[in-house]
């Protein structure tokens, strides 16, 4: 049961998101550690001004172009993302012809099933990576995330990984895949290792990416290629960091 947050509370949106996550935890979608991870994200969101920056938008454009150009794009879904953006995950998958795969750090079969149900309730026709379907192993990776679907993440050429831990991003890149991360912390290993990092809150980034995917369906292949190629992740991350620093300085 979601607690009632007064609409005129100065931090209403942030409190509503917390309530969603707490409910997701009670329903078995989110793990305890997911609540802690969200707290870290909130701190960076606060420092970024709780708005989508120009840099994040540029990264999203490149990311959507990459997904649309990909032959086997996959959206990797964990507990927090499923809880906060199930509908947008499914919509984005439809628009970019991506597969949706459940891939959990704190993996249990029960959570995989609950998340699969949530995605299906939001319109997903097929969910990859659940239970015995995750028969492939990502080499060199020690976490539970290493078990993946051979027809999903394992054979993907582009993988979108919202709220990720750094070692898998690094390994997927080593496997020759393009990795798109959504992470509010521009300094995290995930952010640093991904091919494209969107420094934004998933609750803002995912709906915006759906919007962009709708717009980009009219673009030609060479226009998409230009958007995908004209992007430098290192420079973009540096600008995201500068954005935080400038925001802090301007409070002097
Ligand atoms: O559902 P599971 O079992 O796969 O577990 C998911 C978590 C998130 C618990 C797991 O992947 C984890 O421990 O992640 P980390 O290593 O804590 O990293 C989470 C990253 O996501 C941090 O860099 C946070 O700043 C960032 N983050 C947290 N909330 C958001 C976010 N980034 C974007 N939007 C958010 N809402």
């Amino acid at each position: 049961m979601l607690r009632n947050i007064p609409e005129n509370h100065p931090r209403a949106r942030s409190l509503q998101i917390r309530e969603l996550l707490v409910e997701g935890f009670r329903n078995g979608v989110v793990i305890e550690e997911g609540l802690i991870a969200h707290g870290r994200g909130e701190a960076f969101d606060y420092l970024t001004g709780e708005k989508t920056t120009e840099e994040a938008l540029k990264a999203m454009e490149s990311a959507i172009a990459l997904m649309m150009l990909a032959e086997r794009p996959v959206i990797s879904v964990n507990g927090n993302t499923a809880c906060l953006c199930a509908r947008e995950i499914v919509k984005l998958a439809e628009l970019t012809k991506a597969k949706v795969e459940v891939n959990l750090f704190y993996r249990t079969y029960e959570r995989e099933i609950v998340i699969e149900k949530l995605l299906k309730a939001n319109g997903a026709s097929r969910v990859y990576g659940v239970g015995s379907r995750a028969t492939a192993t990502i080499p060199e990776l020690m976490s539970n995330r290493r078990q993946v679907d051979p027809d999903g993440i394992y054979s993907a050429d582009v993988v979108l990984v919202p709220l990720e831990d750094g070692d898998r991003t690094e390994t997927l890149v080593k496997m020759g895949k393009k990795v798109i991360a959504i992470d509010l912390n521009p300094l995290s290993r995930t952010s640093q290792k991904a091919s494209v990092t969107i420094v934004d809150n998933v609750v803002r980034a995912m709906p915006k990416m759906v919007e962009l995917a709708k717009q980009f369906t009219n673009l030609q292949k060479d226009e998409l290629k230009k958007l995908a190629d004209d992007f430098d992740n290192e420079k973009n991350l540096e600008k995201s960091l500068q954005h935080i620093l400038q925001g802090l300085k301007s409070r002097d």
Side-chain angles (χ1 to χ4, degrees):
M1 175 79 176
L2 286 177
R3 262 190 287 263
N4 193 22
I5 309 289
E7 278 302 329
N8 63 352
H9 189 288
R11 303 207 50 75
R13 183 69 187 126
S14 169
L15 296 178
Q16 283 157 359
I17 295 169
R18 283 188 186 177
E19 284 305 310
L20 278 178
L21 284 164
V22 169
E23 192 185 52
F25 168 66
R26 292 193 183 120
N27 295 339
V29 173
V30 176
I31 193 84
E32 284 96 332
E33 287 81 353
L35 302 177
I36 299 170
H38 182 75
R40 178 149 45 140
E42 270 189 348
F44 278 99
D45 206 11
Y46 193 82
L47 292 173
T48 311
E50 294 173 316
K51 285 199 182 81
T52 298
T53 62
E54 240 175 73
E55 294 77 46
L57 194 59
K58 199 154 191 296
M60 284 182 218
E61 288 173 351
S62 170
I64 295 298
L66 264 181
M67 289 180 81
M68 290 187 131
L69 288 167
E71 280 174 28
R72 296 173 305 280
V74 173
I75 303 176
S76 176
V77 181
N78 65 10
N80 288 41
T81 323
C83 171
L84 295 176
C85 323
R87 204 179 39 185
E88 288 80 8
I89 291 166
V90 176
K91 197 80 209 130
L92 186 63
E94 267 169 32
L95 289 161
T96 58
K97 299 185 178 62
K99 292 173 181 170
V100 175
E101 176 162 346
V102 177
N103 185 270
L104 303 178
F105 188 79
Y106 300 98
R107 184 184 176 158
T108 65
Y109 182 56
E110 289 72 25
R111 281 185 73 218
E112 286 176 340
I113 293 290
V114 176
I115 294 170
E116 180 183 37
K117 274 196 190 145
L118 177 62
L119 292 166
K120 286 196 166 167
N122 280 277
S125 50
R126 183 165 175 192
V127 178
Y128 289 74
V130 176
S132 59
R133 276 172 257 164
T135 53
T137 306
I138 300 178
E140 294 174 34
L141 192 61
M142 289 305 134
S143 80
N144 281 334
R145 286 202 195 276
R146 70 181 179 274
Q147 284 315 121
V148 289
D149 199 312
D151 299 320
I153 289 171
Y154 193 79
S155 48
D157 52 355
V158 173
V159 190
L160 170 64
V161 293
L163 265 90
E164 177 68 7
D165 48 295
D167 51 349
R168 185 172 68 139
T169 301
E170 197 171 0
T171 318
L172 291 176
V173 170
K174 264 196 209 163
M175 286 171 82
K177 303 176 195 300
K178 296 269 184 203
V179 179
I180 302 161
I182 306 176
D183 192 330
L184 278 160
N185 177 3
L187 296 167
S188 76
R189 207 147 62 90
T190 303
S191 293
Q192 301 287 326
K193 297 291 176 188
S195 324
V196 176
T197 307
I198 298 160
V199 181
D200 200 5
N201 198 320
V202 282
V203 299
R204 289 189 301 269
M206 290 297 288
K208 188 72 202 164
M209 287 166 83
V210 169
E211 209 182 287
L212 287 173
K214 281 183 192 157
Q215 287 170 22
F216 286 10
T217 46
N218 300 321
L219 294 187
Q220 300 295 319
K221 226 175 175 178
D222 57 331
E223 292 173 292
L224 288 174
K225 204 164 163 7
K226 188 162 169 22
L227 280 168
D229 291 347
D230 281 358
F231 181 79
D232 183 328
N233 205 41
E234 211 176 307
K235 277 197 190 137
N236 197 268
L237 279 174
E238 183 52 39
K239 282 188 188 162
S240 301
L241 203 54
Q242 286 306 324
H243 181 94
I244 293 176
L245 293 173
Q246 290 306 325
L248 287 172
K249 273 194 194 150
S250 68
R251 293 178 71 94
D252 285 349

